[in-house]
Amino acid sequence: MEVYFQGILTIFSLINPVICSQIFGGIERGKSYKHKLTDLTETIFTVGLILAISAFFGAKLLNMLEISLDAFQVAGGLVLVSIGFGMLNKKENQKEENNEKSLMPLILFAASPGTITGVITLSISEADSHVPVVALISIAVVLVITWIIIALLSKKNKTKASKTSQITTRFMGLIILAMGVQFILTGIMSFTNSFH
């Protein structure tokens, strides 16, 4: 039971539902609650699919391509840096134009390189089993909790775009940018330490 608790806690901290809800709120601002729930369900399903595939095939794919987890983390960190910059520089009218495609930053944040690395690490720890049960249950539990948190917060958030929302979007962009830099530095340090 303790293994499951640790797995859930790990995935929960990596996905970070609170930050996800802030990103989702900024993207979906102005839409009806029903539309928000549809988009939220599709997003959570997509994230779940990415993480489940990572749990089953992530380690095998990286080994097959001879890519280390450290290199993967650096590459993924660069993606997060790009998302962070995009959110910091996003203009109000730009958000309206790209409304339908703009859920991608949330998907890339929730299924970030850190989350995927965490999922792969959990599945590697179950090397004796053909099915990474702990990883899959942890993913399912955390995504259900994330859906509930975002759905509840979205119900309260019915205001249109304002200065506060723009500041929040930029602040979240800064956090994502910092996380990207952290992933890059951690990956580089781990890779460097492997030679010592």
Side-chain angles (χ1 to χ4, degrees), residues 53-117:
I53 290 169
S54 300
F56 274 106
F57 307 111
K60 292 172 187 173
L61 185 62
L62 290 179
N63 285 335
M64 190 174 72
L65 298 172
E66 296 183 355
I67 298 170
S68 68
L69 276 176
D70 300 330
F72 177 77
Q73 204 164 352
V74 170
L78 290 170
V79 173
L80 284 184
V81 165
S82 173
I83 293 169
F85 269 124
M87 289 177 75
L88 280 171
N89 298 319
K90 184 165 271 187
K91 294 173 185 173
E92 198 176 336
N93 59 353
Q94 197 179 357
K95 184 163 65 178
E96 297 298 323
E97 288 169 15
N98 297 330
N99 215 14
E100 293 306 314
K101 295 180 183 177
S102 60
L103 280 166
M104 192 53 69
L106 176 58
I107 293 168
L108 290 173
F109 177 80
S112 72
T115 311
I116 292 172
T117 303

Side-chain angles (χ1 to χ4, degrees), residues 114-139:
T115 311
I116 292 172
T117 303
V119 167
I120 292 172
T121 304
L122 279 176
S123 62
I124 288 171
S125 68
E126 299 179 81
D128 297 336
S129 174
H130 293 295
V131 179
V133 181
V134 175
L136 293 175
I137 288 176
S138 300
I139 292 164

